[in-house]
Amino acid sequence: MELGERKRKILEAIVTDYIETAEPVGSRTIAKKYLTDISPATIRNEMADLEDLGLLEQPHTSAGRIPSDRGYRYYVDQIMEIKYPSPQEIEKIKYMLQIQTINELDKIIKRTTKLISDITKYTSAVLTPSVRKSSIRSLQLIRVSDYDIVAVVVTDTGIIKNVVIKSPNAVDDSKILKLNNLLNEKLSGLTINDIGLTVISDIQSHMREYSEIFSAIISVVYESLKEDDAEVYLEGTTNIFEYPEYDDKDKAKTFLSFIEDKKLLTNVFAEDTNNFCVYIGCENENDKIKDCSIVKATYNIADKTAGTIGIIGPKRMDYARVIGILKSISNVLSEVFEKTL
Amino acid sequence: MELGERKRKILEAIVTDYIETAEPVGSRTIAKKYLTDISPATIRNEMADLEDLGLLEQPHTSAGRIPSDRGYRYYVDQIMEIKYPSPQEIEKIKYMLQIQTINELDKIIKRTTKLISDITKYTSAVLTPSVRKSSIRSLQLIRVSDYDIVAVVVTDTGIIKNVVIKSPNAVDDSKILKLNNLLNEKLSGLTINDIGLTVISDIQSHMREYSEIFSAIISVVYESLKEDDAEVYLEGTTNIFEYPEYDDKDKAKTFLSFIEDKKLLTNVFAEDTNNFCVYIGCENENDKIKDCSIVKATYNIADKTAGTIGIIGPKRMDYARVIGILKSISNVLSEVFEKTL
DNA sequence: GTCAGCACTCATTAATCACGAGTGCTAATC
DNA sequence: GATTAGCACTCGTGATTAATGAGTGCTGAC
């Protein structure tokens, strides 16, 4: 859709003002604050056109205009310029994500989540990498007692996963050692999807003597690795109370109950075909968040997309700023992982 | 404080009715629903006495009475009879906590948390055991690459904890094996508090050859085990919207922001001198929850108190029922752990 | 094409009033 | 002396009304 220069300016003014004030924007306001050389009457005519085009809405006759979902979309795609954090701010972000004594994946991610919600003042969600998409760096069995084994899997994405196994027969250290060597040799470097019947029966052929223990172990480990285990971290859930759109109790409840359902949340923030996405209002599939917007970006570990970071908030969102922040943090995060994992 | 039989009856009626309706209770209501053989006027006199005693409050002159914090306390301590779940319900709880393919500590606890909030309709919180109070069942080092080691600690309480270690020198499998044997021999059965300088230097004396690697490892592992790592699981946070006391936006916000702060939450739900506790309103130390009540109970693993389960909700809480449920679930949980860990 | 002027719409706020639930007090009754 | 009927009084709630003002669409002049 091609819009004249003046219409673009007016749409921009309305989005900007509405994002700031949360009040419908009238023609007089625009004429006074944004476009001082046009009269309110002219602006009214243009606004009527923009409403016909589906880019603006009027809550009621005697109110100003607010952007429609399509209006926000047009603003994001065609008008807005991304506001990236300043170099100083980026340094600060780097600093925040690096100073930690223990560089575990979880801690870095937890910290990132908090950082995002602190900076943006929206609710942030970060998805951890999933074992399914990682490849195995090391798989080690630990004998805890005669019948208790713990399998520890370390992936190239830094995940450490423990699987508890009850063995049908007693195991001793030498058996464990043999199994360990074999499993590591055969499985390192593979992704979960690579592990198929061929690989398993190959290992099995080398392990005839312990076949019973082996099949107990391999099935539990395989099941456990196969399940979708991407976790989602949340921060700043109470930030929504700062926005008048959630003054209504039901609105707040709907939002929070969506947020509380980790399954839904994981789906929404899961990886996309693009490594950067904005969903505005009704563009969201889930009804509960049809009046929210979501911005998300992926981050990399070991040079492949591993998880996503994102925020969820009211449609009246400072897109230019939020998008700049998320893109920057996603880069910093990928860098941090490169260094520390 | 000794109360006459009639005053007890009236207090009970007021608490019961107020818990059910969330409306201040008037003398007429009591006379009609609870104590049909006394006139409203008499009840009014008694209510005035109960108010003088600090057990009742009046929101405003022309309203009925509501229980004060002390009124609830008197009810809980002296009047109420705990309502335990029926045997059938307990069977159902057992069933819910047992049917899981993988019996990991986390999963059982997560499920318990959900179960509590589902049954009680309040917000539930469950604290995991802490490594600090457990003893070490097995400590195993895994060599991931030349300089990357992961230490896996399994405790008697079923915790599996991973610690990532960057070694200053390259390590090979034989070194790891020696270290493993030694560490296991020296540390199994000890609690974190047992590990002091004596133990460490004892191990060190057996490990002169690898002293550099060893001290890198032991300090990181020790630090990591020492930190307070009890996690808190939450469920049913949006349940509060069902209760009119949180209709007010600020009330809801205060509650939810308290809930969001995992540090505060952990402190509040942390173990107590008693293995069962009720905190009503201003009995809570934290100002943010001065109009909430908390009920919590401990559960056992390996015959010692390991963590706590609890709920948080409005003071107007069905104490008799909630207490019965929590006590039962705490027992079932301890049983489940005995069987599966 | 632009814009001043004007009639019209409609959400918001304050003010007023009637209603009713509930109390405390007094005086009569058991 | 305890109980209770009767009554005046309090005060939150909800409905009604009216004034206000922000904003629009339309007309007609420049």
Side-chain angles (χ1 to χ4, degrees):
Chain A
M1 179 165 21
E2 265 308 313
L3 246 48
E5 183 58 18
R6 196 166 64 189
K7 284 202 171 57
R8 286 170 55 96
K9 283 260 173 62
I10 289 174
L11 179 54
E12 182 177 14
I14 291 175
V15 172
T16 311
D17 203 80
Y18 186 60
I19 285 175
E20 192 189 328
T21 64
E23 298 287 327
V25 189
S27 52
R28 240 175 75 88
T29 314
I30 297 178
K32 273 210 288 198
K33 274 177 70 179
Y34 300 92
L35 299 165
T36 39
D37 48 351
I38 325 178
S39 80
T42 312
I43 294 174
R44 277 205 288 283
N45 287 330
E46 298 284 40
M47 294 205 307
D49 290 350
L50 286 168
E51 186 169 351
D52 289 342
L53 289 168
L55 300 176
L56 293 182
E57 286 173 354
Q58 218 174 351
H60 54 263
T61 344
S62 67
R65 301 300 207 297
I66 62 174
S68 68
D69 289 3
R70 287 182 57 203
Y72 283 120
R73 169 56 63 194
Y74 192 91
Y75 168 78
V76 168
D77 288 345
Q78 316 266 350
I79 298 178
M80 155 198 101
E81 253 182 56
I82 299 181
K83 281 186 270 181
Y84 287 99
S86 69
Q88 288 85 349
E89 286 169 316
I90 292 194
E91 276 314 307
K92 210 169 155 193
I93 292 171
K94 276 189 191 163
Y95 177 76
M96 292 294 289
L97 294 185
Q98 275 169 346
I99 48 151
Q100 32 213 344
T101 44
I102 304 167
N103 283 312
E104 282 174 66
L105 186 68
D106 294 11
K107 300 224 165 145
I108 297 178
I109 286 185
K110 224 177 244 180
R111 203 174 260 247
T112 308
T113 319
K114 184 88 175 90
L115 185 67
I116 295 174
S117 82
D118 282 352
I119 299 182
T120 62
K121 306 288 182 209
Y122 295 108
T123 304
S124 63
V126 175
L127 239 67
T128 62
S130 151
V131 172
R132 283 199 304 176
K133 287 182 210 136
S134 316
S135 56
I136 296 174
R137 228 171 129 191
S138 155
L139 192 160
Q140 204 87 11
L141 301 175
I142 295 176
R143 182 182 165 280
V144 178
S145 71
D146 284 354
Y147 295 92
D148 292 316
I149 301 172
V150 174
V152 181
V153 180
V154 182
T155 70
D156 60 340
T157 48
I159 306 170
I160 303 174
K161 179 150 185 166
N162 306 303
V163 187
V164 180
I165 303 158
K166 293 265 176 200
S167 164
N169 314 37
V171 288
D172 57 40
D173 282 331
S174 73
K175 280 185 198 170
I176 291 282
L177 193 62
K178 273 194 199 164
L179 271 168
N180 263 340
N181 289 337
L182 187 70
L183 286 174
N184 249 308
E185 182 192 325
K186 297 288 182 190
L187 297 181
S188 336
L190 299 188
T191 67
I192 307 311
N193 290 331
D194 293 339
I195 306 176
L197 268 182
T198 348
V199 180
I200 293 182
S201 56
D202 177 30
I203 306 176
Q204 213 143 18
S205 68
H206 289 80
M207 270 289 141
R208 297 227 177 280
E209 4 172 13
Y210 312 132
S211 68
E212 205 171 338
I213 299 177
F214 172 78
S215 48
I217 292 176
I218 196 77
S219 71
V220 176
V221 171
Y222 182 66
E223 282 305 317
S224 159
L225 296 183
K226 213 180 54 183
E227 72 179 339
D228 194 4
D229 53 358
E231 268 187 286
V232 60
Y233 287 85
L234 258 190
E235 283 284 349
T237 51
T238 48
N239 281 350
I240 63 154
F241 288 108
E242 304 302 322
Y243 302 99
E245 22 272 277
Y246 299 101
D247 278 357
D248 181 57
K249 191 189 164 188
D250 283 334
K251 292 262 173 63
K253 189 188 167 177
T254 309
F255 180 88
L256 290 168
S257 68
F258 177 83
I259 287 297
E260 198 185 10
D261 187 332
K262 298 296 176 271
K263 278 243 178 68
L264 286 179
L265 206 57
T266 310
N267 283 338
V268 166
F269 279 97
E271 232 170 276
D272 226 292
T273 40
N274 302 311
N275 66 354
F276 185 84
C277 285
V278 180
Y279 290 95
I280 298 166
C282 61
E283 295 171 8
N284 288 297
E285 284 194 9
N286 193 299
D287 283 341
K288 283 188 172 179
I289 49 170
K290 285 252 188 271
D291 49 7
C292 297
S293 282
I294 285 178
V295 182
K296 62 182 182 179
T298 60
Y299 61 86
N300 293 348
I301 302 184
D303 284 329
K304 56 185 177 188
T305 58
T308 57
I309 64 176
I311 61 138
I312 177 168
K315 290 193 295 193
R316 185 180 63 83
M317 183 183 276
D318 192 346
Y319 294 97
R321 192 172 141 267
V322 162
I323 292 173
I325 291 173
L326 279 191
K327 286 196 169 181
S328 303
I329 291 186
S330 127
N331 285 335
V332 172
L333 194 57
S334 303
E335 266 178 52
V336 168
F337 283 133
E338 199 155 331
K339 270 192 222 156
T340 59
L341 283 186
Chain B
M1 177 162 26
E2 264 308 310
L3 247 50
E5 184 58 19
R6 197 167 61 190
K7 284 200 173 54
R8 287 170 53 95
K9 282 261 172 64
I10 289 174
L11 180 55
E12 182 177 12
I14 291 175
V15 173
T16 311
D17 202 78
Y18 186 60
I19 285 175
E20 192 189 328
T21 64
E23 298 286 328
V25 189
S27 51
R28 242 175 73 87
T29 313
I30 297 178
K32 273 210 288 196
K33 273 176 71 179
Y34 300 93
L35 299 166
T36 38
D37 46 353
I38 325 179
S39 81
T42 313
I43 293 174
R44 277 205 288 282
N45 288 330
E46 298 284 39
M47 293 205 309
D49 290 350
L50 286 168
E51 187 169 353
D52 290 342
L53 289 168
L55 300 176
L56 292 181
E57 286 172 354
Q58 217 173 354
H60 53 264
T61 346
S62 68
R65 301 298 207 297
I66 61 173
S68 67
D69 290 3
R70 288 181 57 202
Y72 282 122
R73 170 55 66 193
Y74 192 92
Y75 169 78
V76 168
D77 288 345
Q78 316 266 351
I79 298 178
M80 153 197 105
E81 252 182 57
I82 298 180
K83 281 186 268 181
Y84 287 99
S86 69
Q88 288 85 351
E89 287 168 316
I90 292 194
E91 277 313 308
K92 211 170 156 192
I93 292 170
K94 277 188 190 163
Y95 177 74
M96 292 294 289
L97 295 185
Q98 276 171 345
I99 47 150
Q100 33 214 344
T101 43
I102 306 167
N103 284 312
E104 280 173 70
L105 185 66
D106 295 12
K107 301 224 165 144
I108 297 178
I109 286 186
K110 221 175 247 180
R111 202 174 261 247
T112 307
T113 319
K114 184 88 175 90
L115 185 66
I116 295 174
S117 81
D118 282 351
I119 300 182
T120 62
K121 306 288 182 209
Y122 296 107
T123 304
S124 63
V126 175
L127 240 65
T128 62
S130 150
V131 173
R132 285 201 302 177
K133 288 182 212 136
S134 315
S135 56
I136 297 174
R137 226 171 131 192
S138 155
L139 191 161
Q140 203 85 11
L141 301 174
I142 296 175
R143 180 180 166 283
V144 178
S145 72
D146 284 353
Y147 295 91
D148 292 316
I149 301 172
V150 174
V152 181
V153 180
V154 182
T155 71
D156 61 338
T157 48
I159 306 170
I160 302 174
K161 179 152 184 165
N162 305 303
V163 187
V164 180
I165 304 160
K166 293 266 174 195
S167 165
N169 317 39
V171 288
D172 58 38
D173 282 331
S174 73
K175 283 186 197 171
I176 290 282
L177 194 61
K178 273 193 198 168
L179 270 167
N180 263 341
N181 289 337
L182 187 69
L183 286 173
N184 250 309
E185 182 192 323
K186 297 289 182 189
L187 298 180
S188 317
L190 299 188
T191 67
I192 307 310
N193 291 330
D194 293 339
I195 306 176
L197 269 181
T198 349
V199 180
I200 292 183
S201 56
D202 177 31
I203 305 177
Q204 213 144 20
S205 68
H206 288 78
M207 270 289 141
R208 298 225 178 281
E209 8 173 11
Y210 314 131
S211 66
E212 206 171 340
I213 300 176
F214 172 77
S215 48
I217 292 176
I218 197 78
S219 70
V220 176
V221 171
Y222 182 63
E223 282 305 316
S224 159
L225 295 183
K226 213 179 56 183
E227 71 177 341
D228 193 4
D229 53 357
E231 270 186 286
V232 60
Y233 287 85
L234 258 190
E235 283 284 350
T237 52
T238 47
N239 282 349
I240 63 154
F241 289 109
E242 303 303 322
Y243 301 100
E245 22 272 276
Y246 300 101
D247 278 357
D248 180 57
K249 190 189 165 189
D250 284 334
K251 292 261 173 62
K253 188 190 167 175
T254 310
F255 180 87
L256 290 168
S257 67
F258 177 83
I259 287 298
E260 199 186 9
D261 187 333
K262 298 295 175 273
K263 278 241 178 69
L264 286 178
L265 206 58
T266 311
N267 282 337
V268 166
F269 279 98
E271 231 170 274
D272 226 292
T273 42
N274 303 310
N275 67 356
F276 185 83
C277 286
V278 180
Y279 291 94
I280 298 165
C282 61
E283 296 170 7
N284 288 297
E285 286 196 7
N286 193 299
D287 282 342
K288 283 186 169 178
I289 50 171
K290 285 256 189 268
D291 49 6
C292 296
S293 282
I294 286 179
V295 182
K296 62 183 182 179
T298 60
Y299 60 86
N300 293 348
I301 301 182
D303 283 331
K304 55 186 177 189
T305 58
T308 59
I309 63 177
I311 61 135
I312 177 168
K315 291 193 294 194
R316 185 180 63 83
M317 183 183 275
D318 192 345
Y319 294 98
R321 192 172 141 267
V322 163
I323 291 172
I325 291 172
L326 279 191
K327 286 196 169 182
S328 303
I329 291 187
S330 130
N331 285 336
V332 172
L333 195 57
S334 302
E335 265 177 54
V336 168
F337 283 132
E338 199 156 332
K339 269 193 222 154
T340 59
L341 285 185

